[in-house]
């Protein structure tokens, strides 16, 4: 089920499968242990601003489109909205500006003061110098020119000059002063600046209450680095709504950006996309009338599924703002009673790149109006944006009653679920032991149910890992005979026993009667009308098999029934010791923390030496881990790179990456012979510049629904040629640049290439990839391996698959477990890892995501996956399948919302990253040593004496023995 979901994940791959052929040609989708480690001198220290540490910090949203303002600045020097900054280009020297505990002066154009930064004739810029702290900069009091409730955009042209290498960060900040209260600081935005060119720092802010004083200032570069400022603009986007006095403020994002949304002005601003549009007050002899208003529109004479009604919203959509879409729709004609109806955004970038953003979909009918709802966000400043409806088959009319697109309202702060008397480990199944015969049980369907003896007395292993010591099972089991449908089996009602938001583990022994082939056995739950998977097992012999799974219910149900089903009609089913119990995740976490410390940390002894080493006894030492060497990564897409807030979070919190779509064949060659590596090249360049390694995902994808139409249409010989060309083109272009490749994605769930080219094609893909580029590790990659809910990819079958590939010569070097999982249970995940670990290959979680409406529950699920993986010796990396809302394949799976606010799941991820970093401190002992236990990775040690501070860098590698005698020289060489 993750196949189709992930097609929409990273910029809408579905459009690449069926390119349009209309007049516009639119087309869519370790180093070994070393006893002595060389350390690097680093004497450039920064101290945090004390006042910033002590004062509360509020984060503003950086969510506006400054392109037009920037263009106005370059071309006319004027702005559509009033600039509240006085003397914004320093034409009047430093008038209205004040240096904050430092010096400042204005440099006229043509002075050659900073040769790397060009300045137009007649312009000048400010230099902020003699800065001793990073927070020192240039400020202006704007109290009388701002008001509460308005949203202001900020655009500053900045640079830097000094002895630094690369770039430094410039920050825009507000100082908010309240009487009888602490001063607070509001971060607006930041931008990396250098000596090579001017950079535009952009952001926005809004004040919920009006402080007594509001001071805007620029800060950020390290001490002794000059801050350069060419211009500053702060304006309210609704230029006439916010006057300079601050007494009027009607800047609002609540307005509908759709013009004539209910067709009160006929079809004004609306048009057909490849079809005609018409206005109606009724249709079908008066059977169809508007749900609201007087009129509705139809998109008619549609000859393609993508034909529909559209409106150009260019200039009315702001970048980095989330928008909610709501439409009232239905379908009519062509004998179609129900169809998928979608709202889509066409976006044309400034460089003419086109993409389609899927906003929402709904099953529309010809009987009633239905509401279509969704959200979208644009990261860049496009040259054209069009919203349209599409989807139903050709010949079927799309009817639209109204369309509203507004800035998405912020969701209210979430609350953790309140669960009383959880009863961890207590089985909610009645009469599990069958001491009372079949009391509490009933047969689902017209089948015969009886109690027999001879089942295992021991608890199934996965349940035993959760429950610990437990009484032996009774040895009795339920035999179900005379089954005439595969869904028939034993059942029990558990409606009143299941509690919302608790994660339940499912465990049982199952067995089948005589059969001619493998049979699927499933513990299922009927939650009102919904089927919920509680675990599956595939059985092909007469032995007892463990079945394990999990589930969680997040909405109150009127009826919850558990039943065991699956084998074909006529096959007897046997069930013993069914256990359903809530799991105590916190108890498991305590165990995993101990395992993690043993596996991911190492004892370290720093040895301080030098001519005055004897006098170092008692000297204060602070050790700070710069980065954990374990790979924590995330999927990204090309469109994400246009959002500087996304980039900042990604670079700060991940050290590996994978491209969501941009390396896949359907993306790089959507149409035969038309190669597109531009997106992948730009992503790879971004990651390389930020020292982030990238997994190559993927060379091929076996699931037929992911194979582009032109590939599916090829005959056997041409398909073989195309496969070889794909391998040669990709592997030679990126030779040595990707340390991993997923060679043929999801072979457990698809067989497109194998069906058409024979079984050997899978082995040959691995062999050829290795011949073209011997350096990367070649992975298999699949889903539902770790959760017990899919008989196509459970661990034993995955192992057989890998061994078969290897036995036929495929150089399989790594195991990918995607990790798209619901309500994970630690012992079930760990059991899969233990089994796969017997192969001796590195295991990576390659696409982890978890989903829950409740952020706290989502955070718990994420913590389960991260802790289980990090504590297991076979796991060598963890990749998330995205983290930013609206740019993930699953809803309610994000860590950061669309406009940059970190939710509870994101906070949990950051808390775990902090837990898995070491920051010890203390004093040098009599032997001139300082010892600690630290996670593997890079470190910086700071020695603080009466006269100086000295910093050194070192690395803690993996190793079973203590890293002893690491030399740290106390004397600074100058």
């Amino acid at each position: 089920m993750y196949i189709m979901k992930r097609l929409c994940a990273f910029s809408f791959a579905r459009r690449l499968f069926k390119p349009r052929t209309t007049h516009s040609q639119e087309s869519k989708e370790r180093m070994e242990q070393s006893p002595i480690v060389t350390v690097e001198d680093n004497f450039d220290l920064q101290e945090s601003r004390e006042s910033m540490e002590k004062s509360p910090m509020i984060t503003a949203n950086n969510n506006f489109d400054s392109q037009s303002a920037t263009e106005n600045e370059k071309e006319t020097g004027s702005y559509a909205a009033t600039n509240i900054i006085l003397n914004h280009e320093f034409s009047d020297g430093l008038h209205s500006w004040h240096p904050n505990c430092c010096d400042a002066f204005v440099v006229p154009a043509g002075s050659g003061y900073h040769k790397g930064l060009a300045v137009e004739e007649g312009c000048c810029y400010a230099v902020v110098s003699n800065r001793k702290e990073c927070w020192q900069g240039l400020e202006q009091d704007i109290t009388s020119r701002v008001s509460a409730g308005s949203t202001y955009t900020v655009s500053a042209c900045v640079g830097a000059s000094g002895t630094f290498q690369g770039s430094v960060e410039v920050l825009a900040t507000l100082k908010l002063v309240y009487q009888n209260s602490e001063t607070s600081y509001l971060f607006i935005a930041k931008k990396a600046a250098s000596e090579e060119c001017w950079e535009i720092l952009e952001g926005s802010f809004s004040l919920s209450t009006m402080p007594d004083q509001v001071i805007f200032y620029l800060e950020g570069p390290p001490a002794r680095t000059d801050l350069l400022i060419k211009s500053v603009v702060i304006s309210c986007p609704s230029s006439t709504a916010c006057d300079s006095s601050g007494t009027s403020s009607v800047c609002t994002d609540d307005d509908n950006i759709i013009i004539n949304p209910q067709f009160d002005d006929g079809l004004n601003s609306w048009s057909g996309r490849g079809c005609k549009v018409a206005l109606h007050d009724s249709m079908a002899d008066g059977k169809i009338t508007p749900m609201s208003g007087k009129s509705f529109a139809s998109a008619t004479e549609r000859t393609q599924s993508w034909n529909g009604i559209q409106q150009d919203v260019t200039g009315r959509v702001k970048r980095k703002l989330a928008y909610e879409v709501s439409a009232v729709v239905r379908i009519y004609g062509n004998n179609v009673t129900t169809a998928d109806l979608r709202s889509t955004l066409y976006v044309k970038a400034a460089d003419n790149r086109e993409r389609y953003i899927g906003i929402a979909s709904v099953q529309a009918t010809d009987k009633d109006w239905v509401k279509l709802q969704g959200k979208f966000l644009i990261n860049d400043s496009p040259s054209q944006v069009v919203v349209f409806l599409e989807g139903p088959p050709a010949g079927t009319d799309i009817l639209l009653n109204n369309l509203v697109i507004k800035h998405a309202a912020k969701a209210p702060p979430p609350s953790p679920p309140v669960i009383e008397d959880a009863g961890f480990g207590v089985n909610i199944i009645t009469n599990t032991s069958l001491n009372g015969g079949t009391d509490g049980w009933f047969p689902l369907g017209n089948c015969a149910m009886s109690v027999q003896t001879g089942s295992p007395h021991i608890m199934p292993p996965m349940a035993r890992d959760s429950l610990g010591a437990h009484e032996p099972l009774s040895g009795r089991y339920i035999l179900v005979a005379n089954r005439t449908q595969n869904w028939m089996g034993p059942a029990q009602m558990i409606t009143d026993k299941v509690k919302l938001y608790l994660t339940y583990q499912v465990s049982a022994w199952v067995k089948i009667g005589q059969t001619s082939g493998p049979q699927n056995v499933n513990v299922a739950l009927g939650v009102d009308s919904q089927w919920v998977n509680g675990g599956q097992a595939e059985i092909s012999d007469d032995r007892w098999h463990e079945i394990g799974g999990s589930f969680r219910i997040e909405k109150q149900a009127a009826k919850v029934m558990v039943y065991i089903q699956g084998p074909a009609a006529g096959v007897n089913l046997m069930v013993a010791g069914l256990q359903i119990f809530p799991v105590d995740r916190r108890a498991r976490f305590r165990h995993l923390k101990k395992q993690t410390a043993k596996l991911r940390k190492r004892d370290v002894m720093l040895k301080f030496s030098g001519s005055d080493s004897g006098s170092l006894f008692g000297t204060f030492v602070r050790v700070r881990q710069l980065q954990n060497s374990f790979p924590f990564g995330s999927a990204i897409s090309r469109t994400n790179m246009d959002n500087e807030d996304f980039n900042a979070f990604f670079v700060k919190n991940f050290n590996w990456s994978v491209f969501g779509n941009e390396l896949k064949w359907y993306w790089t060659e959507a149409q035969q012979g038309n190669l597109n590596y531009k997106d992948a090249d730009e992503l790879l360049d971004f990651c390389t510049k930020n020292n982030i390694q990238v997994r190559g995902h993927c060379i091929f994808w076996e699931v037929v629904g992911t194979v582009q139409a032109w590939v599916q249409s090829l005959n056997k010989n041409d398909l073989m040629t195309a496969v070889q060309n794909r391998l040669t083109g990709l592997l030679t272009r990126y030779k040595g640049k990707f340390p991993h490749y997923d060679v043929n994605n999801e072979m457990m769930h698809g067989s497109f290439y194998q069906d058409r080219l024979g079984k050997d094609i899978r082995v040959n893909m691995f062999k050829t990839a290795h011949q073209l580029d011997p350096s990367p590790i070649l992975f298999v990659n699949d889903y539902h391996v770790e959760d017990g809910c899919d008989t196509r990819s459970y661990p034993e079958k995955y192992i057989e698959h890998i061994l078969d590939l290897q036995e036929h010569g495929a150089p399989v070097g790594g195991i990918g477990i995607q990790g798209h999982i619901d309500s994970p249970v630690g012992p079930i995940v760990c059991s899969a890892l233990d089994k796969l670990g017997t192969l001796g290959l590195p295991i990576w979680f390659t696409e982890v995501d978890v989903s829950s409406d409740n952020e706290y529950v989502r955070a718990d699920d994420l913590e389960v996956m991260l802790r289980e993986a990090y504590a297991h010796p076979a796991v060598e990396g963890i990749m998330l399948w995205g983290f930013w809302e609206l740019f993930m394949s699953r809803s309610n799976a994000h860590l950061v919302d669309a406009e940059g606010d970190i939710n509870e799941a994101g906070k949990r991820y950051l808390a775990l990253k902090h837990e898995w970093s070491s920051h010890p401190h203390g004093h040098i002992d009599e032997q001139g040593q300082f010892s600690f236990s630290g996670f593997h990775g890079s470190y910086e040690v700071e020695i603080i004496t009466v006269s100086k501070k000295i910093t050194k860098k070192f690395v803690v590698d993996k190793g079973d023995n203590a890293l002893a005698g690491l030399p740290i020289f106390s004397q600074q060489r100058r």
Side-chain angles (χ1 to χ4, degrees):
M1 68 180 179
Y2 293 103
I3 297 169
M4 297 313 296
K5 284 183 178 179
R6 283 186 291 113
L7 289 182
C8 304
F10 294 94
S11 273
F12 332 112
R14 63 178 180 84
R15 289 290 178 188
L16 297 174
F17 301 150
K18 297 180 181 178
R20 299 175 174 171
T21 55
T22 64
H23 63 281
S24 60
Q25 284 297 306
E26 300 173 62
S27 58
K28 305 213 186 176
E29 230 223 30
R30 277 171 225 302
M31 301 176 65
E32 295 298 322
Q33 174 185 346
S34 174
I36 300 297
V37 180
T38 302
V39 297
E40 174 186 339
D41 289 356
N42 178 9
F43 304 116
D44 185 14
L45 300 174
Q46 290 189 30
E47 295 182 357
S48 299
R49 173 175 41 175
E50 182 178 348
S51 61
M52 292 291 283
E53 291 177 344
K54 293 180 178 179
S55 300
M57 198 73 163
I58 309 167
T59 304
N61 290 324
N62 306 331
N63 48 21
F64 76 104
D65 183 353
S66 68
Q67 183 184 32
S68 59
T70 303
E71 289 175 349
N72 283 336
E73 179 188 12
K74 291 179 179 178
E75 297 174 6
T76 68
S78 63
Y79 299 86
T82 302
N83 184 7
I84 67 171
I85 290 292
L86 306 178
N87 186 27
H88 75 284
E89 291 182 331
F90 305 101
S91 58
D92 194 14
L94 288 174
H95 177 70
S96 298
W97 292 95
H98 305 280
N100 185 6
C101 302
C102 53
D103 298 329
F105 55 97
V106 173
V107 176
S111 67
Y113 189 84
H114 295 99
K115 296 181 179 180
L117 298 172
V119 181
E120 295 85 355
E121 185 175 352
C123 296
C124 50
Y125 61 96
V127 178
V128 187
S129 63
N130 196 23
R131 301 175 59 255
K132 298 180 176 61
E133 303 287 353
C134 63
W135 52 266
Q136 295 175 348
L138 201 60
E139 65 181 31
Q140 185 172 136
D141 191 324
I142 58 173
T143 308
S144 63
R145 301 187 296 281
V146 293
S147 58
S150 299
T151 298
Y152 296 88
T153 61
V154 177
S155 178
C157 187
V158 297
S161 177
T163 58
F164 60 89
Q165 294 182 346
S167 63
V168 295
E169 286 189 338
V170 176
L171 282 67
T173 308
L174 287 184
K175 180 180 179 181
L176 309 177
V177 181
Y178 298 87
Q179 287 186 359
N180 304 319
S181 179
E182 283 190 355
T183 296
S184 63
Y185 294 85
L186 176 61
F187 165 77
I188 301 173
K190 63 182 178 180
K191 183 71 175 180
S194 69
E195 294 181 299
E196 298 176 358
C197 62
W198 293 103
E199 299 287 351
I200 301 298
L201 182 155
E202 312 175 319
S204 68
F205 67 89
S206 179
L207 303 175
S208 58
T209 60
M210 189 61 197
D212 295 290
Q213 188 178 30
V214 182
I215 297 175
F216 169 84
Y217 64 99
L218 294 168
E219 57 169 330
R224 297 184 295 278
T225 299
D226 288 354
L227 171 58
L228 314 182
I229 308 168
K230 183 181 174 187
S231 65
V232 181
V233 175
I234 301 180
S235 59
C236 182
S238 299
S239 57
T240 61
C242 302
D243 65 28
S244 59
S245 67
T247 59
S248 174
S249 128
V250 197
C251 295
T252 175
D253 293 311
D254 293 334
D255 296 331
N256 186 6
I257 68 170
I258 293 296
I259 298 172
N260 188 25
Q262 208 160 0
F263 308 103
D264 295 329
D265 192 18
L267 292 173
N268 178 41
S269 300
W270 294 96
S271 62
R273 193 172 187 83
C275 62
K276 293 182 179 180
V277 293
L279 188 68
H280 309 269
D281 55 16
S282 67
M283 287 179 66
D285 298 325
K287 295 179 181 177
I288 301 176
T289 57
M291 175 180 280
S292 62
K294 299 179 179 180
S295 305
F296 62 91
S298 68
T300 188
E301 298 185 27
R302 299 174 61 251
T303 59
Q304 302 287 337
S305 64
W306 55 266
N307 296 155
I309 186 169
Q310 67 178 6
Q311 184 170 135
D312 192 312
V313 294
T314 306
R316 305 198 296 276
V317 179
K318 301 176 185 177
R319 66 183 295 255
K320 299 196 302 179
L321 273 188
Y323 288 90
E324 291 176 331
V325 179
S326 178
V328 176
V329 298
R330 66 189 293 171
I331 58 173
Y332 175 75
N334 200 28
N335 294 318
V336 176
T337 59
T338 181
D340 182 51
L341 197 156
R342 301 186 297 273
S343 59
T344 304
L345 210 65
Y346 165 76
V347 180
K348 185 176 182 180
D351 61 2
N352 292 323
R353 275 192 276 199
E354 298 176 315
R355 68 182 185 276
Y356 291 80
I357 300 177
I359 301 171
S361 66
V362 69
Q363 280 298 116
T365 75
D366 64 345
K367 301 291 191 298
D368 297 294
W369 293 99
V370 295
K371 182 168 285 189
L372 181 152
Q373 293 178 301
K375 291 174 68 175
F376 72 87
L377 177 141
I378 298 175
N379 286 310
D380 57 351
S381 301
S383 61
Q384 187 180 20
V385 183
V386 178
V387 63
F388 64 98
L389 301 180
E390 60 170 333
T396 302
D397 290 355
I398 296 174
L399 310 186
L400 174 64
N401 187 200
N402 62 62
L403 176 62
V404 176
I405 301 181
K406 292 184 177 182
H407 179 214
K410 290 286 185 182
S415 299
V418 177
I419 302 171
E420 298 180 355
D421 301 322
F424 293 126
V426 177
N427 187 13
I428 65 173
I429 294 297
T430 299
N431 192 22
T432 293
S433 66
L434 303 173
N435 290 329
T438 59
D439 289 350
W441 296 89
F442 62 90
L444 188 63
N446 188 21
C447 53
M449 194 172 69
S450 62
V451 175
Q452 306 291 326
T453 59
S455 60
H457 287 270
I458 62 171
M459 183 75 67
M462 286 184 283
R464 189 167 63 245
D465 288 344
S466 290
L467 296 173
H470 205 275
E471 293 182 4
L473 301 180
S474 68
R476 287 182 287 271
Y477 64 92
I478 295 176
L479 170 64
V480 186
N482 302 330
R483 301 174 61 254
T484 58
Q485 300 288 338
N486 65 351
W487 50 264
M488 291 183 176
Q492 188 170 134
M493 299 305 298
I494 57 173
T495 308
D496 298 332
K497 300 176 183 179
V498 176
K499 296 185 178 181
L500 297 184
Y501 293 111
L502 271 181
T503 300
Y504 288 87
Q505 183 171 344
V506 179
S507 172
W509 290 111
V510 291
K511 183 181 177 180
I512 60 173
Q514 190 172 7
T515 181
S516 58
Q519 299 291 317
N520 178 34
V521 179
N522 167 229
V523 178
L525 292 102
V527 182
D528 291 336
S529 59
Q530 180 184 8
W531 172 80
V532 175
N533 189 352
Q536 296 193 53
E538 185 180 73
I539 304 176
S540 57
D541 54 32
D542 62 354
R543 297 183 299 109
W544 287 96
H545 290 257
E546 176 183 18
I547 190 168
S550 63
F551 70 91
R552 181 173 56 239
I553 297 174
E554 299 190 1
K555 294 181 180 179
Q556 190 64 53
K559 183 178 68 174
V560 182
M561 176 180 65
V562 60
Y563 60 103
I564 299 89
Q565 62 162 355
V571 177
N572 288 349
L573 172 61
M574 288 154 267
V575 181
L578 177 63
Q579 303 260 346
I580 297 181
F581 55 90
V583 293
D584 186 351
R585 288 172 156 180
R586 296 296 157 190
R588 177 77 179 174
F589 291 167
R590 289 191 290 271
H591 163 73
L592 293 174
K593 286 181 180 181
K594 296 177 182 178
Q595 294 296 108
T596 297
K598 293 178 182 178
L599 178 65
R600 306 296 181 188
K601 298 181 81 172
R602 190 175 185 186
D603 291 333
V604 180
M605 183 183 72
L606 303 180
K607 178 68 175 177
F608 298 88
S609 60
S611 60
D612 59 348
S613 60
S615 63
L616 291 177
F617 171 59
T619 299
F620 184 75
V621 177
R622 179 186 292 117
V623 177
R624 180 171 64 96
Q625 186 163 12
L626 303 177
Q627 188 174 75
N628 190 314
S629 59
F630 187 87
F632 290 99
S634 175
I636 59 174
S637 67
R638 173 57 189 84
T639 184
N640 295 142
M641 298 301 96
D642 297 321
N643 187 331
E644 56 272 21
D645 303 326
F646 179 100
N647 296 344
F649 187 93
F650 171 69
V651 170
K652 182 178 180 180
N653 296 298
F654 299 98
N655 54 13
W656 274 70
S657 182
V658 62
F659 306 158
N661 278 320
E662 287 78 358
L663 207 65
K664 290 169 181 168
W665 195 5
Y666 62 58
W667 192 278
T668 62
E669 196 175 2
Q671 299 179 10
Q672 188 172 12
N674 185 11
L675 297 176
N676 168 31
Y677 288 108
K678 181 178 176 62
D679 294 327
D681 289 347
E682 291 179 359
L683 284 173
L684 184 59
D685 181 62
F686 171 81
C687 290
T688 301
K689 288 180 178 178
N690 287 284
N691 197 30
I692 293 172
Q693 297 193 71
V694 185
R695 301 191 73 251
H697 175 81
C698 54
I699 305 176
F700 299 101
W701 197 347
E702 270 283 23
V703 178
V704 65
T706 68
V707 180
Q708 56 269 53
W710 72 264
V711 175
Q712 294 189 39
S713 69
L714 298 175
N715 62 40
K716 182 175 181 180
N717 290 336
D718 290 343
L719 178 58
M720 184 65 81
T721 300
V723 166
Q724 182 61 49
N725 290 342
R726 163 67 172 172
L727 282 162
T728 303
L730 184 73
L731 274 295
T732 55
R733 180 183 185 89
Y734 295 111
K735 188 172 184 178
K737 295 183 179 180
F738 292 107
H740 296 176
Y741 274 111
D742 295 329
V743 176
N744 192 4
N745 199 36
E746 297 176 359
M747 289 182 279
M748 309 301 292
H749 291 88
S751 56
F752 171 80
Y753 297 101
Q754 180 174 267
D755 292 344
R756 288 157 180 77
L757 300 176
K759 185 177 181 180
D760 290 344
I761 188 60
R762 292 180 167 181
V763 173
N764 290 336
M765 286 174 174
F766 276 86
K767 287 182 176 179
T768 304
H770 182 68
Q771 291 168 0
L772 291 167
D773 187 355
S775 61
I777 300 172
L778 304 182
F779 277 72
V780 293
N781 191 48
D782 230 300
Y783 61 92
H784 284 334
V785 176
E786 76 289 359
D787 57 11
C789 72
D790 192 340
T791 56
R792 293 170 295 179
S793 55
Y794 60 87
E796 290 83 356
K797 185 170 281 191
Y798 205 24
I799 289 170
E800 291 176 8
H801 169 67
I802 295 167
L803 290 174
D804 181 67
L805 287 170
Q806 290 179 325
E807 288 168 1
H808 287 85
V812 178
I815 302 172
I817 302 174
Q818 291 184 7
H820 304 286
I821 192 169
D822 295 304
S823 54
V825 169
I828 297 176
V829 175
C830 185
S831 174
L833 294 175
D834 288 343
K835 293 169 183 176
L836 292 167
T838 61
L839 293 176
L841 298 175
I843 297 174
W844 279 59
F845 278 96
T846 56
E847 304 179 18
V848 172
D849 57 22
V850 294
S851 176
S852 174
D853 291 344
N854 188 287
E855 293 176 7
Y856 291 88
V857 175
R858 190 189 317 162
D860 289 344
D861 285 351
L862 182 63
E863 184 171 359
V864 169
M865 295 301 293
L866 294 178
R867 286 198 184 276
E868 292 292 341
Y870 196 50
H872 200 283
V875 177
E876 295 190 7
I878 304 169
M879 307 289 295
L880 304 185
W881 198 240
F883 59 89
W884 201 274
E885 185 186 14
L886 302 182
F887 296 91
M888 299 188 68
S889 59
R890 300 174 72 186
S891 59
N892 299 314
H894 56 282
L895 280 61
V896 182
D897 79 9
E899 295 182 0
D901 292 330
I902 302 171
N903 62 28
E904 294 301 323
K907 293 174 184 176
R908 188 73 57 86
Y909 173 77
L910 296 179
L912 288 171
K913 289 291 298 295
H914 179 75
E915 177 184 321
W916 296 331
S917 61
S918 301
H919 302 280
H921 57 82
H923 298 85
I924 299 174
D925 64 18
E926 294 177 341
Q927 287 74 42
Q929 299 171 354
F930 177 72
S931 299
F932 68 96
S933 180
F935 288 95
H936 307 143
S938 59
Y939 286 81
E940 181 180 76
V941 58
E942 181 182 70
I943 311 162
I944 303 174
T945 68
V946 175
S947 59
K948 60 187 176 183
K949 296 180 184 177
I950 302 173
T951 60
K952 306 281 186 176
K953 290 182 179 179
F954 63 94
V955 173
V956 176
D957 292 318
K958 294 180 181 179
D960 295 328
N961 300 322
L963 190 61
L966 196 71
I968 304 294
F969 299 95
S970 63
Q971 287 191 321
Q972 179 177 336
R973 297 185 298 275
R974 297 187 181 274

